[in-house]
Amino acid sequence: MIKFLDLKAVNAQYEQELKDACSRVIDSGWFIMGSELSNFETEFADFCGVKHAIGVANGLDALILSIRAWKALGKLNAGDEVIVQANTYIASILAITDNDLIPVFVEPNPVTYNLDAVTVRQAISSKTKLILPVHLYGQISPMPELMNLAEEFELLVLEDCAQSHGAELNGKRAGSWGNAAGFSFYPGKNLGAIGDAGAITTDDDIFAETVKALRNYGSHKRYENIYRGVNSRLDEIQAAMLRVKLNFLPKETLRRQEIASKYMANIKNSLICLPTRSIELSHVWHLFVIRCVKRDELQEFLNAEGIQTIIHYPIPPHKQKAYSEFNVLNLPLTETLHREVLSIPLDPTMTEISVDTVIEALNRFTI
Ligand SMILES: *Cc1c(COP(=O)(O)O)cnc(C)c1O
């Protein structure tokens, strides 16, 4: 079986370093808010090219707490509208509604599946206060255009970077474009912990102080609480694991890009629509998502060939039961994407033989 992503093999590459780092934390006797976290925060901020990275418990909390911080600072209010692409993962939407803001779903660009400045402009109303671009599948959104729009209409920008660690445009990385960004280090992400973890990046000192307080009960200073915060901390073990894996992220990203290039050059089947990338470094290939009108048949065929695939995602957020108030929305492109997309194996530890096997099977698919 060619696995979609063999996490055991991915982490086995760094087994000794991970175990040594784990022992270092156990031996230190300090498990929450210590030097592993502060060092990881410095290293990850450097990696993204920002002043601050603030570790939190997961990617969803990174997005939720970013919006909460702006509410605490009086920059956002309940009822404000947030423009977001309709074909995102549900976490992006949960972060908006959890804060009592209103998601305004827009269709993605049909080629990149990301936000498009033209449709965003059409969706801006007097209540719009925030744009939430999701760098979906690992490809960075058209940030220069979106930042220009944000400036023109005085909007905040929160990047959802859960799938795009290290993606860059004009020499600037994902997480350094908007007013803030949320990252996930869920185990299967390009930079994955050995459990749950996340981070917020920003250049804004006051915002950074606010999210630091919010993640720790709303406390700036021990036992003094100015906000009703939450407990959303990134623990020392996970920070130590992430420090090890951050060192290898550039190498893993290169390997992902190499596999994706090979897929792009060699998958040739008129029934299959390949993804695109604007420029080389703009895509870190968290997922390699193809489209096929006969998606379910293709998935079954690949499964029979011993190739594991996943659908990201089968039901768009606005069609979920949890969001019944949005079920009436008509977003044909988004709904088509959710019927046609299929993510094929893209694992930095894949062998050339496995890559060739996937290509060969895809080229053989007929209906
Ligand atoms: C994974 C993901 C998240 C949430 O991250 P968690 O760490 O699982 O909470 C948010 N947005 C997108 C686009 C994601 O892919």
Side-chain angles (χ1 to χ4, degrees), residues 57-61 63 88-92 134-136 160-163 183-186 189 196-198 286 313:
N58 54 64
L60 175 58
D61 278 2
L63 298 171
T88 183
Y89 179 54
I90 195 144
S92 324
V134 185
H135 308 315
L136 206 64
D160 182 338
C161 296
Q163 304 188 356
F183 282 87
S184 165
F185 308 121
Y186 177 80
K189 303 287 162 122
D196 273 317
H286 173 56
Y313 302 92

Side-chain angles (χ1 to χ4, degrees), residues 86 105-107 316 318-319 325-336 339:
F105 297 95
V106 301
E107 295 270 39
H318 74 280
K319 291 294 181 194
E325 70 270 45
F326 298 118
N327 286 176
V328 296
L329 289 180
N330 182 26
L331 295 155
L333 174 57
T334 296
E335 288 154 33
T336 304
R339 273 194 307 275

Side-chain angles (χ1 to χ4, degrees), residues 32 52 104 109 116 167 186 197 217 269-270 282 286 354:
I32 300 284
H52 307 280
V104 174
N109 176 293
D116 188 308
Y186 177 80
Y217 309 116
N269 185 330
S270 57
S282 65
H286 173 56
S354 295

Side-chain angles (χ1 to χ4, degrees), residues 112 114 134-144 159 163-174 177 190 253 257 264 276-287:
T112 63
N114 275 333
V134 185
H135 308 315
L136 206 64
Y137 307 148
Q139 175 153 238
I140 194 164
S141 311
M143 293 313 292
E159 298 170 72
Q163 304 188 356
S164 60
H165 316 71
E168 66 180 72
L169 196 58
N170 307 345
K172 241 173 108 59
R173 284 198 160 146
W177 286 88
N190 285 23
T253 301
Q257 288 165 335
M264 300 272 262
T276 56
R277 98 187 121 200
S278 52
I279 52 164
E280 189 93 27
L281 300 174
S282 65
H283 208 321
V284 292
W285 299 102
H286 173 56
L287 300 171

